[in-house]
Amino acid sequence: QVQLVESGGGLVQAGGSLRLSCAASGTISRVNAMGWYRQAPGKQRELVTQITSGGRTNYADSVRGRFTISRDNAKNTVYLQMNSLKPDDTAVYYCNLRMLDYDYWGQGTQVTVSS
């Protein structure tokens, strides 16, 4: 069993920054990738960014240049540094771990950006 625990969400003004963390625990091996998704009210969950086991990253066009994903393999933790936040970034952010082609999800953390 795998557990993902997110932290770091909150309320911030437009232009501000937040850093999310996601710590994975349990039986973890052969991870394909870890990443962050988000879901705004009335919208579908969308990929924000992902980092593969090989270190390759990809970003949604809407966040590229503003958000940065990183990881600490020793701690099984992935981070999301979010800069220049916009009201459109308001959503619940979910940590994702893909292992052996199965997706595990965190409980989500709310990010609210005020204008």
Side-chain angles (χ1 to χ4, degrees):
Q1 192 68 300
V2 174
Q3 296 82 39
L4 302 175
V5 179
E6 301 122 331
S7 61
L11 173 64
V12 65
Q13 289 188 330
S17 298
L18 283 174
R19 188 189 194 214
L20 305 183
S21 300
C22 172
S25 61
T27 304
I28 300 170
S29 65
R30 303 183 69 177
V31 173
N32 301 115
M34 291 188 72
W36 294 91
Y37 287 70
R38 68 186 181 186
Q39 187 167 19
K43 295 187 177 180
Q44 290 188 330
R45 189 174 298 189
E46 63 176 0
L47 174 67
V48 176
T49 180
Q50 192 176 56
I51 183 166
T52 70
S53 59
R56 187 173 69 250
T57 59
N58 65 291
Y59 294 90
D61 289 342
S62 59
V63 307
R64 188 175 292 111
R66 300 187 297 121
F67 291 11
T68 303
I69 189 170
S70 61
R71 66 182 184 186
D72 184 334
N73 289 335
K75 296 181 179 180
N76 286 323
T77 299
V78 66
Y79 305 96
L80 179 62
Q81 179 65 43
M82 304 185 292
N83 298 328
S84 302
L85 282 161
K86 305 175 182 179
D88 284 348
D89 295 318
T90 296
V92 177
Y93 284 69
Y94 295 92
C95 179
N96 169 266
L97 184 152
R98 177 162 293 180
M99 185 171 70
L100 299 176
D101 294 326
Y102 185 83
D103 285 314
Y104 296 88
W105 297 94
Q107 80 283 359
T109 185
Q110 177 70 46
V111 171
T112 303
V113 184
S114 62
S115 57

